[in-house]
Amino acid sequence: MDSLQKREERHKQNITFLELWKNLIVLQCILSFLLLGGRRSVWMSRWTIWHYLRDYFPIKLHKAADIDPKHNYIFGYHPHGIMSLGAFCNFGTDSTGFSHMFPNLKPHLTTLAGNFKVPLYRDYLLAAGMCPVTHSSIDYLLSCHGSGNAVIIVVGGAAEALNCSRNKHILTLKKRKGFIRKALTNGASLVPVYSFGENELFHQYQFEPGSWKRKLQESFQQWVGFAPCIFFGQGIFSSTSKGIMPLRRAINTVVGKPIPVPRMENPSEQQVDAYHALYIDGLQELFNTYKERFGLQKSDTLLLV
């Protein structure tokens, strides 16, 4: 009798464990689906708090050309800066008027996949329309999510953050070609985007290339995925003291002209290089056209590394 009861208890435990396992699989499938394309909340994107963020610097969005929502796009955002605040404010919220400037175009700002492993913070990012910068997410948005999608990729990433310096315009771009290949395989037009002022928000301690401190930063970046920048801004209560608040410097984000890209299932290295060169030319033209309008000198140039 006792053995029969024990068998029944074990059977119930096995059923309970199996049900739990099934539920976890279902939950994982749901989360994986949500992470593919995000779940942007229009209500959240229009919170009043984002207007305070916009006006603190201030941040303004500009366009060099109209963008047809009947196609899909990859926006290459430059520079990374320390925190990419211009990217978040312009494309993670609607405080700068993206929906009015580009009607029927849906922005999807991408960030490190590791950010989506933090409970609650993940939901916050998803509600902002953000997605992991992974192959599956980008492919889904550009090929399985209809038209009118703009995937925003901060191309320089963590490596570029280490080169962030005020009054300098250093972009990690020479060897960054993955986003070009994605555009070709999905037939998505390329759009260069440059934020004048993104590098002016913090002072960063720069270590000499090759020094043990710089090597430690680079090793940490490769291991964890983000750069351990050492920086400071202004104080919370005083603009003349050092602190964690960013400096109040204007950020002017200019969305450039789309570069049409054909769909190629398996683009060759030569084809990728050709469109990479076209993209760099478009970015250079965008920078040179608007640099004096937003406070730079005619002699200022982009340095690509």
Side-chain angles (χ1 to χ4, degrees), residues 59-75:
I59 300 174
K60 295 181 180 179
L61 183 64
H62 311 266
K63 68 176 180 179
D66 292 329
I67 295 181
D68 187 354
K70 295 179 182 178
H71 305 285
N72 288 325
Y73 302 88
I74 289 182
F75 284 22

Side-chain angles (χ1 to χ4, degrees), residues 216-229:
L216 183 63
Q217 283 182 312
E218 292 170 346
S219 299
F220 187 90
Q221 174 222 318
Q222 293 176 355
W223 179 48
V224 179
F226 66 90
C229 301

Side-chain angles (χ1 to χ4, degrees), residues 1-301:
M1 197 67 182
D2 290 339
S3 60
L4 180 61
Q5 288 179 346
K6 288 180 180 179
R7 284 199 298 270
E8 289 178 350
E9 288 177 1
R10 284 198 297 269
H11 182 65
K12 289 179 180 178
Q13 289 175 353
N14 290 337
I15 291 175
T16 303
F17 178 78
L18 183 61
E19 288 297 321
L20 176 61
W21 183 248
K22 288 180 179 178
N23 290 341
L24 289 174
I25 291 175
V26 171
L27 178 61
Q28 179 61 39
C29 291
I30 292 172
L31 290 176
S32 297
F33 174 74
L34 291 175
L35 289 176
L36 284 174
R39 44 182 170 86
R40 185 179 183 85
S41 167
V42 176
W43 170 72
M44 177 180 159
S45 71
R46 294 175 179 172
W47 280 356
T48 303
I49 190 173
W50 307 133
H51 293 266
Y52 296 134
L53 173 66
R54 174 197 66 193
D55 296 338
Y56 175 86
F57 297 98
I59 300 174
K60 295 181 180 179
L61 183 64
H62 311 266
K63 68 176 180 179
D66 292 329
I67 295 181
D68 187 354
K70 295 179 182 178
H71 305 285
N72 288 325
Y73 302 88
I74 289 182
F75 284 22
Y77 183 90
H78 312 271
H80 183 286
I82 297 294
M83 296 183 179
S84 299
L85 290 170
F88 175 75
C89 191
N90 284 304
F91 306 116
T93 81
D94 199 34
S95 60
T96 56
F98 183 93
S99 63
H100 297 286
M101 194 172 294
F102 303 104
N104 300 318
L105 197 66
K106 301 178 290 291
H108 302 277
L109 180 61
T110 58
T111 184
L112 293 174
N115 290 327
F116 294 89
K117 296 180 181 179
V118 183
L120 299 181
Y121 182 55
R122 172 192 61 213
D123 299 284
Y124 168 75
L125 295 177
L126 290 171
M130 299 176 70
C131 305
V133 61
T134 59
H135 292 289
S136 57
S137 289
I138 296 172
D139 287 337
Y140 173 79
L141 288 169
L142 296 177
S143 61
C144 305
H145 204 242
S147 59
N149 296 291
V151 177
I152 296 93
I153 301 176
V154 185
V155 178
E160 192 169 275
L162 287 175
N163 290 323
C164 174
S165 180
R166 302 184 69 207
N167 301 317
K168 292 183 179 180
H169 319 286
I170 305 172
L171 302 184
T172 303
L173 184 57
K174 274 188 176 181
K175 297 181 181 180
R176 297 292 170 108
K177 300 178 183 179
F179 73 108
I180 303 292
R181 188 175 295 278
K182 278 296 168 194
L184 285 166
T185 55
N186 290 284
S189 297
L190 291 161
V191 181
V193 179
Y194 197 88
S195 268
F196 296 89
E198 184 74 61
N199 283 346
E200 311 300 315
L201 306 183
F202 294 97
H203 299 276
Q204 180 176 196
Y205 291 104
Q206 297 279 352
F207 301 118
E208 289 294 325
S211 66
W212 70 268
K213 295 178 181 178
R214 183 60 178 245
K215 288 181 179 178
L216 183 63
Q217 283 182 312
E218 292 170 346
S219 299
F220 187 90
Q221 174 222 318
Q222 293 176 355
W223 179 48
V224 179
F226 66 90
C229 301
I230 301 175
F231 61 90
F232 64 90
Q234 68 178 49
I236 297 177
F237 303 107
S238 172
S239 61
T240 58
S241 61
K242 295 181 180 179
I244 60 173
M245 293 292 289
L247 303 174
R248 304 187 76 162
R249 302 289 186 269
I251 300 176
N252 287 283
T253 303
V254 186
V255 178
K257 301 175 184 177
I259 302 169
V261 175
R263 185 188 297 272
M264 300 180 185
E265 188 173 345
N266 293 301
S268 65
E269 290 298 325
Q270 291 78 13
Q271 290 168 327
V272 171
D273 289 344
Y275 279 93
H276 186 257
L278 283 176
Y279 179 84
I280 289 177
D281 289 342
L283 179 61
Q284 294 273 18
E285 181 184 356
L286 179 70
F287 180 83
N288 291 330
T289 300
Y290 288 90
K291 61 183 179 182
E292 291 181 79
R293 176 177 170 182
F294 297 126
L296 301 184
Q297 302 298 316
K298 189 175 182 178
S299 57
D300 287 326
T301 58

